[in-house]
Amino acid sequence: MRVIVLGATSAIAEATARLYAAEGADLLLVGRHAGKLSSIASDLKIRGASRAETAVHDLASVQGVDATLGDFIRQLGGVDHILIAYGILGDQADAERDQSVANDILQINFNSAAAWCLAAAAELERQGRGSLVVIGSVAGDRGRRANFVYGAAKAGLAALIEGIAHRFATKGPRAVIVKPGPTITPMTEGFDRKGLLWATAPQVAAVVRAAADRGGPVVYAPWFWRYIMLIIRNLPSAIFNRMDI
């Protein structure tokens, strides 16, 4: 198993990479911070990875995405699974006041992620096999005042991956968007992270790893968010607009 992880320093990505390492996979970890990538790679080798290589790259840049992904694949010697797991939450209030903040949220969470998804889809279609797994969010299921800029980016990403999955339907590869609910990671520091609805990165990682092999094209993590979001999506606006969520 050869796996490319784009955004490998995120908590969910690292936890997922540990699951692949336990299977003896070859991994290529991509992100901006060389030191952290190296530390994660060393840990993955201890955990059983056959190889754990690194590549430093600013994934928010969309220049030369196709060529760069090709370089990553050659560095690893081929690819079976591609995991896209980077993003920023951003601040909704700042995004409403400052267009540049909103642009950053949209650029990182949708524009650049979409470019990598399309490049990955083209490669997997050429080889006729493999999995593209992308971390989305339940925030994309319905616009809410608390985070609608971030939610809009994740909604667009979900539509893109569903479309790629439809494109793949008779061609061999698979594409899956995994939508976690609130998860205890560095991204959510400062939130009140108590309660049964909060998941841990390893819990979400288990869903991500399984989604690469089966199910989809839309998977919720944990599973019960599928039903929570079904209710939220179908609430009448008269009720929804009175809710502080």
Side-chain angles (χ1 to χ4, degrees), residues 57-104:
H57 190 80
D58 181 3
L59 295 165
S61 172
V62 297
Q63 297 298 318
V65 165
D66 293 315
T68 303
L69 181 63
D71 291 341
F72 294 157
I73 292 170
R74 283 187 289 275
Q75 182 177 347
L76 194 57
V79 67
D80 299 297
H81 292 176
I82 298 172
L83 172 61
I84 298 179
Y86 69 93
I88 61 170
L89 184 59
D91 184 275
Q92 176 63 37
D94 288 345
E96 291 175 25
R97 290 190 297 265
D98 187 339
Q99 184 68 42
S100 68
V101 174
N103 288 342
D104 285 345

Side-chain angles (χ1 to χ4, degrees), residues 7-230:
T9 59
S10 80
I12 293 173
E14 183 177 358
T16 306
R18 289 178 176 179
L19 298 178
Y20 279 112
E23 300 172 20
D26 294 344
L27 293 126
L28 175 62
L29 312 176
V30 184
R32 290 183 299 164
H33 303 293
K36 190 169 183 182
L37 288 172
S38 179
S39 176
I40 293 171
S42 297
D43 177 69
L44 295 176
K45 291 174 186 175
I46 293 170
R47 293 174 183 272
S50 295
R51 293 165 61 201
E53 299 193 9
T54 65
V56 177
H57 190 80
D58 181 3
L59 295 165
S61 172
V62 297
Q63 297 298 318
V65 165
D66 293 315
T68 303
L69 181 63
D71 291 341
F72 294 157
I73 292 170
R74 283 187 289 275
Q75 182 177 347
L76 194 57
V79 67
D80 299 297
H81 292 176
I82 298 172
L83 172 61
I84 298 179
Y86 69 93
I88 61 170
L89 184 59
D91 184 275
Q92 176 63 37
D94 288 345
E96 291 175 25
R97 290 190 297 265
D98 187 339
Q99 184 68 42
S100 68
V101 174
N103 288 342
D104 285 345
I105 295 171
L106 295 170
Q107 172 63 29
I108 293 169
N109 292 312
F110 178 72
N111 292 348
S112 69
W116 289 105
C117 288
L118 291 169
E123 179 60 38
L124 296 179
E125 184 172 337
R126 276 194 294 271
Q127 66 185 35
R129 59 177 181 79
S131 292
L132 169 63
V133 184
V134 180
I135 306 299
S137 172
V138 297
D141 279 20
R142 187 167 188 176
R144 298 178 295 117
R145 64 172 67 96
N147 65 353
F148 61 80
V149 177
Y150 172 81
K154 292 299 187 180
L157 192 60
L160 181 77
I161 298 306
E162 288 184 71
I164 291 172
H166 196 201
R167 165 184 168 185
F168 282 170
T170 60
K171 297 180 179 179
R174 55 185 285 101
V176 184
I177 183 103
V178 178
K179 297 182 178 183
T183 306
I184 300 172
T185 68
M187 181 184 282
T188 58
E189 285 182 2
F191 287 72
D192 181 5
R193 302 190 293 192
K194 299 176 182 178
L196 297 177
L197 296 182
W198 282 85
T200 64
Q203 287 174 322
V204 174
V207 177
V208 173
R209 176 64 192 92
D213 293 333
R214 61 186 182 274
V218 179
V219 177
Y220 288 81
W223 60 269
F224 53 76
W225 278 100
R226 178 179 296 275
Y227 303 100
I228 293 173
M229 297 314 298
L230 177 64

